[in-house]
Amino acid sequence: MSMLKACYFPDMPAIQVKNVPQELHDQLRHIAELQKCSIGDVIVEAITREIRRRSHTQWLDEVFAHPTGLTSTARERQAFIDELRKERDAR
């Protein structure tokens, strides 16, 4: 199989990042070597973690914005969190 065919996934979009500082590129290369993967794999994993973190932060903001968020009992807060989780999982 040619290199082009081995590395090309027609159903996956591509992202190109330009003007990466040399120091950052060197750090990415080092991490990729340690993990025995490509720089692209390291970047995709970092993006995935950031999106999950932001989703979790947004969810927590919803919890604490609720009128019963901080003044309710522990049982009420847990019931509310369970309700939010059900709504989130239904999406």
Side-chain angles (χ1 to χ4, degrees):
M1 180 178 284
S2 74
M3 181 59 88
L4 179 60
K5 287 183 182 178
C7 296
Y8 180 69
F9 301 98
D11 60 337
M12 295 183 72
I15 296 174
Q16 183 177 31
V17 180
K18 297 181 180 184
N19 302 319
V20 176
Q22 187 62 48
E23 183 179 339
L24 177 57
H25 188 269
D26 293 343
Q27 290 171 342
L28 288 168
R29 183 187 313 271
H30 179 70
I31 292 168
E33 288 172 0
L34 290 174
Q35 295 181 358
K36 296 181 174 43
C37 64
S38 70
I39 290 175
D41 293 335
V42 173
I43 292 169
V44 168
E45 178 60 30
I47 292 168
T48 301
R49 277 194 317 268
E50 178 62 15
I51 289 172
R52 285 184 187 142
R53 184 189 66 77
R54 286 181 183 259
S55 296
H56 184 73
T57 301
Q58 182 181 19
W59 180 78
L60 286 175
D61 289 344
E62 290 175 21
V63 170
F64 291 123
H66 191 274
T68 63
L70 297 175
T71 59
S72 60
T73 66
R75 184 173 288 158
E76 290 169 329
R77 286 191 304 272
Q78 186 61 51
F80 176 66
I81 289 171
D82 292 342
E83 179 185 329
L84 284 176
R85 284 181 176 151
K86 285 179 189 175
E87 289 175 12
R88 178 198 62 197
D89 293 343
R91 290 184 221 161

